[in-house]
Amino acid sequence: MNRASLLLLLLLTIALCKFFDLSLAETPDELNLAAESRMIFPLSYSSLPRRVEDFRRRRLHQSQLPNAHMKLYDDLLANGYYTTRLYIGTPPQEFALIVDTGSTVTYVPCSTCKQCGKHQDPKFQPELSSSYEALKCNPDCNCDDDGKLCVYERRYAEMSSSSGVLSEDLISFGNESQLSPQRAVFGCENAETGDLFSQRADGIMGLGRGKLSVVDQLVDKGVIEDSFSLCYGGMEVGGGAMVLGKISPPDGMVFARSDPFRSPYYNIDLKQMHVAGKSLKLNPKIFNEKHGTVLDSGTTYAYFPKQAFIAIKDAVIKEIPSLKRIHGPDPNYDDICFSGAGRDVAEVHNYFPEIAMEFGNGQKLILSPENYLFRHTKVRGAYCLGIFPDRDSTTLLGGIVVRNTLVTYDRENDKLGFLKTNCSDLWRRLAAPGSPAPTSPVDQNTSSHISPSPASSASPTADLPGVFQIGSITFDVSISVNNSSLKPNFTEIADFIAHELDIQSSQVRLLNISSSGNEYRLKWGIYPPQSSEYISNKMASNIMLLLKENRLRLPGQFGSYKLLEWKAEHKQKQSWWEKHIVGVVAGVMISLLVTSVMVKLVMVWRRRKQEEATYEPVSAAVKEQELQPLSSETETSNA
């Protein structure tokens, strides 16, 4: 064997070793991260990391491509996850999917599923989609027992699982998206277990690294650049925004390097932790073991190796001597909780210190108390640490760490960006002006609506051109609570509706309530701001579009929600009398009151004048008066 052959053999051996080294990260033992039940949807099995040439090819996309702007719903601590709305099929069928950066496959329950729970939306019906196609068995996929169709199976650390058939169909991203519908591969679920079976959300939207990831598929098609962003709402706010595609990094964004070859998960090079500005002086190797430091949107809380957890916990406790240590809300867990911080969430930062994560490049991400605390559910004014020790050596950062934080997953440049911001305001800034992109394929033979809309007694005013005046918008919803003894918090529901519709809370009014057992029917009214006579065209259009397409959703904490009907009432043109009737009536009343007072004053004055005229001075001569004759009765008695 000559020298060239030996060199070639050596290179092949190194390549094979590298390949199998990467593959080892996908074994079940390696992926068994912290398995506490708090991890609602932790890291999942994923496909193999892409080859080097895949990354180099993706970097060739330099043009400015459209983005898919999508809203996030639900609340991290109440539900354990955030969801977004995805539409699959022709015509589109709507689904609420958990946004999970630790998963690759996107899947929804199929109508053929016999082991699927009851979720928020109806199951996907392939037979109703003219663009649906199940993937045939091929060398690039796992095949079913009959060797006919491609199948998938995913198991999660908290022992839930999902399995089904890999299929392809048209996926739409909603009316706010600039990105037109695209064909993509997804899982048509036939069986689910554990939390996946009992959750309210329909399925999972996989944003991790892998061929089946929605992001990878869109990048492979060349329709978006290799980046996406997530922004979660703050404590007790919920909601947020998601962008599939590239956005310009805002000023002040902090970046951390992310190594795509280390594992299929989004890791960052965390080097040190600081509490109240003081370094914990931990060995940086602590954060670099196993999978390193992983950011996973499908996990609720933060999990640190034991040594780091103890150091963080002790440092926080040292900074809050005035607070009292109390038991946690769940006796099954040894939660670290404190009382005495006040009931106002906005004031929590006055009691708890800031925590900073320092990255390898020296930049720091500041974590406010809302990024590591959760409210005690049984004691008012009490909060608990959302940081826990990890049974594994991986540092796992869940969604709580990035609340009210814009996180940009810049996969093209192998880095993650962080910026503390108000995610509710961010959505308004990201919302693109002008006409939204279609949510269904441009096909003369198919319908262009997203999903069946509730019946409305009013015409779809949102589709009318020109100026229109809407005085009020009313809608009826039904809410089914799990426990008939628990009454929904109508004030919280009103605040959430206002947040979803992007209006003031004072514009939302509860008009009527009727109940039967655990079923509530609520009639809500949306009215103009106090300074306006009618709802503005833009505001009315946005509200009616949400109601027309049935995209107003309530978090699972309020119960099972359904929109029944809605109606928009035009602001009628008022006559002069109608516009000024209040002023006229008030003027008449004031005039009558003033007249009455004046008359009484005049009468009192005249009476006093008369009384003064009947009295004579003491020295005045008094005219002699004749005695009056006695009555006959008096005369008789005298006789």
Side-chain angles (χ1 to χ4, degrees), residues 9 24 201 227 279 300 309 317 357 370 507 543 560:
L9 180 61
L24 289 176
S227 178
S279 174
T300 307
F309 163 75
I317 293 176
M357 297 194 304
E370 72 172 345
Q507 294 179 246
I543 294 173
S560 178

Side-chain angles (χ1 to χ4, degrees), residues 204-225:
I204 285 181
M205 182 176 182
L207 301 174
R209 292 188 175 107
K211 290 182 179 180
L212 295 179
S213 169
V214 170
V215 179
D216 284 73
Q217 293 187 64
L218 296 177
V219 171
D220 283 339
K221 290 177 177 290
V223 295
I224 67 169
E225 297 188 53

Side-chain angles (χ1 to χ4, degrees), residues 623-634:
K623 186 177 179 179
E624 188 176 310
Q625 298 181 357
E626 294 182 1
L627 296 175
Q628 295 296 325
L630 297 174
S631 63
S632 58
E633 295 180 357
T634 306

Side-chain angles (χ1 to χ4, degrees), residues 394-432:
T394 297
T395 300
L396 186 59
L397 305 178
I400 191 174
V401 174
V402 289
R403 287 195 292 194
N404 263 342
T405 304
L406 171 64
V407 183
T408 295
Y409 297 76
D410 188 350
R411 308 179 351 152
E412 181 178 352
N413 297 302
D414 300 336
K415 62 182 181 180
L416 270 60
F418 303 88
L419 178 71
K420 290 291 293 181
T421 185
N422 187 315
C423 289
S424 300
D425 292 341
L426 177 73
W427 169 252
R428 287 189 281 270
R429 296 198 299 269
L430 290 177

Side-chain angles (χ1 to χ4, degrees), residues 372-386:
Y372 65 87
L373 294 177
F374 64 93
R375 185 190 282 276
H376 199 294
T377 56
K378 296 181 180 179
V379 180
R380 289 290 186 92
Y383 299 87
C384 307
L385 287 183

Side-chain angles (χ1 to χ4, degrees), residues 125-390:
Q125 302 183 60
E127 63 275 10
L128 298 183
S129 176
S130 60
S131 51
Y132 173 83
E133 182 181 359
L135 292 187
K136 305 298 182 182
C137 180
N138 63 79
D140 294 331
C141 74
N142 295 322
C143 300
D144 60 7
D145 294 337
D146 298 329
K148 295 181 179 179
L149 300 176
C150 292
V151 295
Y152 78 94
E153 182 177 6
R154 291 295 181 270
R155 296 184 181 274
Y156 297 86
E158 90 290 357
M159 304 309 293
S160 61
S161 65
S162 171
S163 60
V165 177
L166 289 177
S167 308
E168 188 177 42
D169 208 334
L170 207 64
I171 293 181
S172 309
F173 307 96
N175 279 355
E176 289 82 4
S177 172
Q178 302 170 356
L179 181 63
S180 60
Q182 302 290 327
R183 289 193 67 84
V185 176
F186 69 101
C188 202
E189 197 175 42
N190 285 327
E192 58 186 16
T193 64
D195 288 341
L196 291 176
F197 185 90
S198 59
Q199 71 186 17
R200 184 170 179 265
D202 301 312
I204 285 181
M205 182 176 182
L207 301 174
R209 292 188 175 107
K211 290 182 179 180
L212 295 179
S213 169
V214 170
V215 179
D216 284 73
Q217 293 187 64
L218 296 177
V219 171
D220 283 339
K221 290 177 177 290
V223 295
I224 67 169
E225 297 188 53
D226 199 4
S227 178
F228 69 95
S229 299
L230 294 173
C231 198
Y232 295 160
M235 183 178 285
E236 299 186 341
V237 175
M242 177 171 70
V243 178
L244 299 181
K246 187 176 182 179
I247 62 174
S248 299
D251 294 337
M253 178 166 272
V254 175
F255 290 95
R257 183 178 177 275
S258 181
D259 184 1
F261 299 102
R262 169 145 195 189
S263 74
Y265 312 117
Y266 296 107
N267 54 70
I268 55 177
D269 59 336
L270 180 62
K271 297 299 181 184
Q272 192 56 258
M273 299 292 296
H274 303 259
V275 175
K278 304 169 187 175
S279 174
L280 300 185
K281 299 180 179 179
L282 295 167
N283 189 333
K285 292 182 179 180
I286 294 177
F287 307 109
N288 199 35
E289 297 181 8
K290 208 65 174 288
H291 295 288
T293 298
V294 174
L295 185 63
D296 181 24
S297 67
T299 297
T300 307
Y301 300 107
Y303 297 82
F304 286 85
K306 188 174 181 180
Q307 183 180 350
F309 163 75
I310 294 175
I312 296 172
K313 177 199 67 173
D314 292 345
V316 170
I317 293 176
K318 186 178 179 180
E319 295 295 328
I320 52 173
S322 62
L323 301 184
K324 180 182 178 182
R325 179 82 178 267
I326 62 174
H327 293 292
D330 191 339
N332 295 319
Y333 298 100
D334 187 21
D335 291 325
I336 301 172
C337 304
F338 308 90
S339 64
R343 298 182 180 182
D344 190 352
V345 173
E347 302 298 325
V348 174
H349 68 277
N350 293 331
Y351 298 91
F352 289 90
E354 289 184 338
I355 296 178
M357 297 194 304
E358 182 180 346
F359 303 131
N361 56 11
Q363 293 185 314
K364 295 178 182 178
L365 173 63
I366 304 298
L367 305 181
S368 61
E370 72 172 345
N371 296 123
Y372 65 87
L373 294 177
F374 64 93
R375 185 190 282 276
H376 199 294
T377 56
K378 296 181 180 179
V379 180
R380 289 290 186 92
Y383 299 87
C384 307
L385 287 183
I387 298 174
F388 302 94
D390 197 349

